[in-house]
Amino acid sequence: MARYQYEPFPYVTPPELAGDGATGAPVIIVGAGPIGLAAAIDLATHGVASIVVDDNNVVSVGSRAICWAKRSLEIFDRLGIGERMLSKGVTWKLGRVYRGDEEVYNFDLLPEDGHRFPAFINLQQYYVEQYLVERCADFPDLIDLRFKNRVLSVGQDETGAYAEIETPDGSYRLTGDYLLACDGANSRIRRQFGLDFEGRHFEERFLIADVEMEADFPSERWFWFTPTFHPGQSALLHKQPDNIYRIDLQLGPDADPEVEKQPEVVIPRIEKVVGGRPFKLDWVSVYSFNCRRIDRFVHGRVIFVGDSAHVVSPFGARGGNGGMHDVDNLCWKLARVVRGESDESLLESYNDERVHGADENISNSSWTSRFMSPEPGVEMAFRNAALSLAVDTPFARRVVNAGRLSVPCRLTDSALNSADDTGLDVPQQIGMVALDAPLTAPDGSPAWLMRQLGRGFTCLVTGDADLDDAAVPEGVELVRIGASGFADAEGKVAERYGSAVYLVRPDQHVTARWTAPDAADIAAAMARCTARVAA
């Protein structure tokens, strides 16, 4: 199968320079990677227009982010490309951990039955960006993609934000109500604001090589500590679409990146991993990494999203997935503020909730990095003892850390949540992302619970819970799982939700739960969750 064909996106002279006047938009998005593009689509689903500017005109070169977790797939599905990603991606659920050539243990990531999406797929970032760009075309009146538009600086005042932009046809100023900095780990905007990452920098260097080869390797994640083909270091292998395999090799802190990227150095290393199989190098990079974040993500009308706000090691798939969680959390709130429905204080909850999420990711990634690259002495002795015990001792396997994989954080302590009056002891709790379940639609067709959520606020009624239709506020969708609505196809709704009325946010997080609420109960929870502007 042919490798990915990079095709440049067309550059179009901005209307500000073509004599058509300034178009402007409520939201300026800097960066057309997965995070910026997803933000534009999410805002468009809420009826909010944006202009996306990027200094490049092609999708990312190299596979880069490849592991997309179940929660991110649910978000992508809400944005309209989830099925396409699932169809193209390599679904995997089994991970194997080796010490030397001996398998220490393996683990199964497949979530319990009754979810539309798997635990993980592998899909190169360039495909994700392509699908998102093509999805943006479905919103011609709400999304304006501008390639080869390089942001020189940004600014803001009490009325809005602006960006000074350079193009092949000259420079211009773009204005909006808010500006999203989605310009990645090397964010020019973050540097302009003088915002430093806080956390830990790891000196260890790693080689990433994408290789094209025919192989019968199963769709699994293989991680080696001190393999015989790469003594004293660690290695990782992942299968991707198009017969592309991701190989990560630890090099040590003193490795010279420019030397290590040379084909005459890379090829012998890869040959030791894959044996005598013929292969072609597709992409090579050498990196070190950080587990750090900026202090705050919201700076007036300039908001940092994704890698511009926080960075983690690539082991654990927390970078791209964490950025998608940012988008999911921010865009419904920003849309309400732009439409004048909520006070701008609602944006502070994005800062609070996603700083919490970033800290959780940084904590897990830092521990992974220390386990993979222990300091000589106590840390190294602990790592080696854990690996030895894990062969025969299940409790030690929980200590072995080859990358704690991404899961959504719980917003249990969010200021947007309301009290729970049910006392239910079921898996679904306030502050969690809603749990999926198979349904049968009223017309008899199969359906999924998550696809009934996320268009806006939803009152979800399960089991024998009581709710008068008249108690549901205007603009809040009502979904019933029971005799008068969707059927619980396999009993998973009853198992996961019990009997209750759930208020679900547009990002599919549960924010309140009752046994039999009245209109005042739901209105109060909505007011708390939305910082609603009085009519």
Side-chain angles (χ1 to χ4, degrees), residues 11 13-14 17 148-150 152 165-172:
Y11 164 75
T13 301
L17 296 175
K148 305 298 288 185
N149 278 238
R150 180 171 179 262
L152 301 176
I165 298 173
E166 180 182 64
T167 78
D169 293 316
S171 300
Y172 70 100

Side-chain angles (χ1 to χ4, degrees), residues 29-67:
I29 300 175
V30 181
I35 305 309
L37 293 168
I41 295 167
D42 205 347
L43 288 169
T45 66
H46 294 287
V48 174
S50 65
I51 296 174
V52 184
V53 294
D54 195 286
D55 60 357
N56 208 341
N57 68 338
V58 70
V59 297
S60 62
V61 176
S63 61
R64 299 185 185 271
I66 64 167
C67 294

Side-chain angles (χ1 to χ4, degrees), residues 125-458:
Q125 183 172 319
Y126 43 73
Y127 279 116
V128 178
E129 291 184 17
Q130 175 193 327
Y131 298 166
L132 289 168
V133 168
E134 292 169 0
R135 175 61 172 150
C136 284
D138 294 333
F139 302 93
D141 298 327
L142 292 171
I143 301 176
D144 180 359
L145 294 183
R146 300 185 182 185
F147 298 102
K148 305 298 288 185
N149 278 238
R150 180 171 179 262
V151 172
L152 301 176
S153 64
V154 304
Q156 61 181 318
D157 57 29
E158 65 277 3
T159 64
Y162 64 86
E164 303 290 350
I165 298 173
E166 180 182 64
T167 78
D169 293 316
S171 300
Y172 70 100
R173 172 178 284 202
L174 188 61
T175 60
D177 296 332
Y178 289 88
L179 184 145
L180 305 187
C182 305
D183 53 340
N186 296 316
S187 170
R188 174 189 290 264
I189 299 172
R190 187 184 65 243
R191 292 198 303 270
Q192 181 194 324
F193 273 59
L195 302 174
D196 293 329
F197 277 140
E198 299 174 0
R200 182 174 176 182
H201 173 73
F202 290 84
E203 299 293 341
E204 197 71 44
R205 296 191 185 276
F206 289 81
L207 169 76
I208 287 181
D210 280 356
V211 301
E212 181 183 10
M213 65 179 178
E214 296 282 348
D216 56 359
F217 298 155
S219 299
E220 299 174 351
R221 179 186 193 264
W222 294 351
F223 191 98
W224 291 267
F225 291 98
T226 63
T228 55
F229 59 76
H230 194 50
Q233 305 287 9
S234 61
L236 175 71
L237 184 143
H238 263 296
K239 184 178 182 179
Q240 304 175 64
D242 304 339
N243 291 324
I244 300 292
Y245 287 81
R246 159 74 66 81
I247 297 172
D248 287 61
L249 296 174
Q250 184 179 6
L251 300 176
D254 299 325
D256 184 329
E258 295 308 313
V259 172
E260 296 293 346
K261 286 190 291 187
Q262 299 303 313
E264 60 269 24
V265 177
V266 174
I267 289 173
R269 292 190 186 279
I270 302 304
E271 287 175 339
K272 292 178 181 179
V273 180
V274 303
R277 295 176 180 84
F279 65 88
K280 296 179 182 179
L281 286 180
D282 186 57
W283 174 66
V284 174
S285 180
V286 174
Y287 67 92
S288 58
F289 53 82
N290 299 292
C291 293
R292 304 195 290 178
R293 67 168 173 86
I294 56 177
D295 182 53
R296 288 182 50 80
F297 298 174
V298 178
H299 290 260
R301 293 179 177 269
V302 177
I303 303 172
F304 292 83
V305 191
D307 284 353
S308 70
H310 47 77
V311 289
V312 292
S313 83
F315 298 99
R318 294 174 177 274
N321 289 295
M324 286 303 300
H325 299 172
D326 289 352
V327 171
D328 190 42
N329 188 289
L330 171 63
C331 286
W332 70 269
K333 299 171 181 178
L334 182 58
R336 289 189 62 90
V337 173
V338 167
R339 296 195 305 257
E341 298 167 354
S342 294
D343 185 79
E344 63 184 11
S345 63
L346 181 61
L347 299 177
E348 189 62 22
S349 71
Y350 164 72
N351 182 79
D352 294 342
E353 292 178 351
R354 290 312 301 154
V355 163
H356 165 68
D359 284 345
E360 188 173 283
N361 282 334
I362 288 170
S363 175
N364 279 284
S365 290
S366 296
W367 169 227
T368 294
S369 301
R370 290 196 302 272
F371 194 88
M372 289 173 54
S373 304
E375 295 289 339
V378 174
E379 284 191 4
M380 180 67 76
F382 174 83
R383 199 275 298 273
N384 292 340
L387 288 170
S388 297
L389 288 170
V391 175
D392 300 310
T393 312
F395 86 85
R397 295 170 189 167
R398 295 193 294 270
V399 178
V400 174
N401 194 329
R404 294 281 190 264
L405 291 161
S406 174
V407 295
C409 68
R410 296 191 177 194
L411 305 177
T412 308
D413 298 324
S414 171
L416 305 188
N417 293 342
S418 296
D420 177 8
D421 77 349
T422 68
L424 281 174
D425 183 18
V426 292
Q428 183 65 66
Q429 296 292 323
I430 290 177
M432 291 173 51
V433 175
L435 299 171
D436 205 2
L439 306 175
T440 302
D443 65 1
S445 61
W448 292 96
L449 177 55
M450 289 297 279
R451 288 188 170 173
Q452 317 315 313
L453 309 173
R455 291 181 287 269
F457 276 89
T458 304

